[in-house]
Amino acid sequence: MAKRNEIMKRSVGIDYEKYATGPLSFDYARLMEDTGYDIETVGRIQAETAVGNTPMVQLKNLTDLARSTAPAGKGARIFVKDEAQNPSGSFKDRRASISVYEAKKKGYKGVVAATSGNYGAAVASQAAKLGLSCIIVQEAFDSHGIAQPEIAEKTRACEAYGAEVIRLSVGPELFYVFLLVLAETGYFNASLYTPYSILGIETLGAELVRDLSVVDGGLHPDVVVATHAGGGNITGTGRGLLKSGVSDTMLVGASVDLSGLHMASDTDFNRKSFTTGHTGFGIPFATWPDRADVPRNAARPLRYMDRFVTVTQGEVFYITQTLAELEGMERGPAGNTSLTAAFALAREMERDKIIVVQETEYTGAGKHPIAQLNLAKKMGVEVRRGNPMENAPGEAIVIPEHPSQIQVVDVDMEGLRSSYVKNAGRSLKPGESPGAGDIAFLSEDCRGTEDFVRRMLSEAQ
């Protein structure tokens, strides 16, 4: 662990220290620009491996269902970007494409990623296309050897693309093993949090604007909903919207509410039915993004997220089945998290408004709701129909009896901002104090005033 910084610098080819501008601040814009990739170049690279340019689908039947349970005059039209059409079945191909391209360009022989989600399959798929070796490190089991079916499904996918998969039980050894693999192989760190990963998602935001202009006569989305976990999805989509000249679209992050469950807990590991897109990642990465596996996280969600809402596991399972039955689209759970939120939000909006869900993901045996619910029952979690507000993470999954019961719960954005600034303040080393540049950086990073930042830093002391 003492060689962490040296290993990271060698494995991503970025000297993060040269971007530091103060004890808390760094030059974010320069970090992104120095990669040398503009959005047009990213699009051309992705097109070479069949990534992106996925269909925009209007969900007419789901819109009708939302309107049937909405107040008079309410019920925005719902569109979805069908990212399941990417090579490995999710938007994560966009993230992986530029990282793997960069690894190939710099002469690395292979790539490594630590992930139990779709990103592993995406990295493995892109590495296969460019002829690089690939190693994926996963947290897959609890201490009893019981595997999450969704993670087992992703293991299968990674191995199908030719990757070596190192499967670990839940615990702190993940990062140590990841560093060890990087040190021993000399492979490229295809981290979710490098600038390359975020740049790859910008094309998704740009395509939302382009696609909607084609199918709906030049209108911009009023609201875009993105499933929020580590912050990259929100960040890349927001940057893509801005680069397309769209600044008045509300960007909403949506996560499954898993409050009370600890992601590193052996007991809680299999008591959740979603491996990503939940508050166990969404809250910590919003309030302290630099907890990532690189020194400076390029995913800065508070810069771009206008509203953050949660939904329950039972509500997502309900919408997953409804999407299949009404729209003929069987898709996996992570993208359906944002769709569930969009269904509820559409009922708040006027009928002439447009709400876009910016992703779907593939589904498979382990990602199917039945596999997830069977594991939940095996772990002692109650599964029943009823009012989803009775949902209790780790104890009860309550699937709605009627679509009118689906609703979002707002997360306090001001609370997130204050936690972020306080966490930054607590990261200062003895003898360090924030300067004017640090205050300005934190203000921009959380979209709070400089007076707000000073007040929160004072409270953190």
Side-chain angles (χ1 to χ4, degrees):
M1 293 295 284
K3 296 182 177 178
R4 169 185 172 172
N5 289 340
E6 176 189 335
I7 294 170
M8 284 300 174
K9 183 176 178 180
R10 188 171 65 241
S11 64
V12 295
I14 297 175
D15 180 5
Y16 283 93
E17 291 180 4
K18 75 178 187 182
Y19 297 101
T21 54
L24 297 177
S25 60
F26 71 102
D27 192 337
Y28 179 52
R30 187 174 155 224
L31 173 67
M32 302 300 284
E33 290 168 2
D34 280 357
T35 60
Y37 296 104
D38 59 28
I39 195 167
E40 290 78 18
T41 304
V42 170
R44 284 196 296 273
I45 292 169
Q46 291 178 334
E48 290 174 3
T49 53
V51 172
N53 292 308
T54 53
M56 175 76 86
V57 181
Q58 184 173 0
L59 302 179
K60 296 180 180 177
N61 295 331
L62 206 61
T63 298
D64 288 343
L65 183 65
R67 288 175 173 175
S68 72
T69 60
K74 302 287 187 180
R77 287 183 292 161
I78 305 171
F79 290 75
V80 67
K81 185 77 166 161
D82 195 10
E83 288 287 289
Q85 304 302 320
N86 280 303
S88 75
S90 80
F91 85 97
K92 297 292 179 63
D93 286 291
R94 296 180 188 265
R95 305 186 80 156
S97 60
I98 305 306
S99 293
V100 176
Y101 181 89
E102 179 72 8
K104 177 86 171 180
K105 188 175 79 171
K106 287 180 172 171
Y108 288 86
K109 302 298 182 187
V111 291
V112 186
T115 168
S116 300
N118 289 327
Y119 186 59
V123 172
S125 170
Q126 291 295 304
K129 285 175 177 286
L130 296 192
L132 297 183
S133 298
C134 179
I135 300 174
I136 302 299
V137 185
Q138 289 184 334
E139 275 185 336
F141 313 103
D142 64 13
S143 61
H144 301 287
I146 300 175
Q148 274 269 349
E150 187 176 1
I151 297 174
E153 161 67 25
K154 292 163 184 170
T155 303
R156 180 207 62 74
C158 291
E159 291 178 339
Y161 296 125
E164 176 185 349
V165 182
I166 299 174
R167 305 176 79 193
L168 306 172
S169 58
V170 63
E173 70 270 24
L174 175 72
F175 190 60
Y176 174 76
V177 172
F178 180 57
L179 283 177
L180 200 61
V181 172
L182 287 172
E184 290 181 347
T185 63
Y187 285 0
F188 184 80
N189 175 9
S191 164
L192 284 159
Y193 308 109
T194 65
Y196 311 112
S197 176
I198 304 308
L199 291 169
I201 309 171
E202 290 182 0
T203 53
L204 176 51
E207 286 179 27
L208 299 180
V209 178
R210 181 201 65 189
D211 294 351
L212 202 56
S213 71
V214 172
V215 303
D216 216 62
L219 295 177
H220 293 161
D222 296 288
V223 173
V224 170
V225 189
T227 300
H228 173 51
N233 200 12
I234 287 282
T235 301
T237 301
R239 291 174 60 88
L241 288 170
L242 291 173
K243 288 187 176 181
S244 296
V246 174
S247 59
D248 57 350
T249 292
M250 174 181 281
L251 183 55
V252 179
S255 296
V256 173
D257 177 18
L258 291 185
S259 55
L261 295 182
H262 196 294
M263 296 308 106
S265 162
D266 182 55
T267 304
D268 291 346
F269 181 67
N270 276 326
R271 297 178 70 81
K272 61 186 188 302
S273 297
F274 289 76
T275 59
T276 186
H278 54 66
T279 51
F281 292 130
I283 299 289
F285 274 93
T287 56
W288 191 228
D290 292 318
R291 61 176 57 241
D293 58 4
V294 289
R296 286 296 191 180
N297 191 347
R300 319 295 299 187
L302 289 183
R303 285 183 180 238
Y304 303 98
M305 184 162 59
D306 298 304
R307 185 178 175 183
F308 184 17
V309 300
T310 64
V311 292
T312 68
Q313 295 178 97
E315 289 171 318
V316 179
F317 285 131
Y318 184 96
I319 285 293
T320 297
Q321 186 62 27
T322 303
L323 178 67
E325 292 185 5
L326 293 186
E327 301 287 354
M329 297 174 67
E330 188 180 32
R331 297 292 184 268
N336 294 337
T337 298
S338 45
L339 179 60
T340 303
F343 182 84
L345 294 169
R347 302 205 323 260
E348 300 176 357
M349 300 165 61
E350 302 296 327
R351 286 191 173 211
D352 62 348
K353 302 298 183 184
I354 295 173
I355 187 166
V356 177
V357 176
Q358 50 76 279
E359 65 158 319
T360 62
E361 65 165 337
Y362 86 102
T363 191
K367 293 163 73 75
H368 196 277
I370 290 176
Q372 298 296 328
L373 292 173
N374 283 342
L375 176 65
K377 292 175 184 175
K378 181 178 178 180
M379 301 306 296
V381 177
E382 179 187 17
V383 178
R384 62 180 171 82
R385 302 299 292 267
N387 185 344
M389 296 307 292
E390 297 168 359
N391 179 78
E395 297 178 8
I397 295 173
V398 183
I399 300 172
E401 295 175 305
H402 192 272
S404 63
Q405 295 174 309
I406 295 173
Q407 57 185 302
V408 296
V409 175
D410 275 279
V411 177
D412 177 12
M413 292 293 293
E414 197 72 358
L416 293 178
R417 292 187 181 98
S418 61
S419 293
Y420 164 73
V421 177
K422 289 178 180 177
N423 283 333
R426 292 174 186 132
S427 74
L428 289 167
K429 297 174 183 174
E432 289 181 338
S433 59
D438 297 302
I439 301 294
F441 171 82
L442 294 175
S443 171
E444 184 177 11
D445 215 30
C446 74
R447 290 199 284 175
T449 66
E450 294 193 4
D451 285 344
F452 169 81
V453 170
R454 290 190 189 91
R455 191 168 69 254
M456 292 303 108
L457 285 175
S458 176
E459 290 183 11
Q461 291 177 348

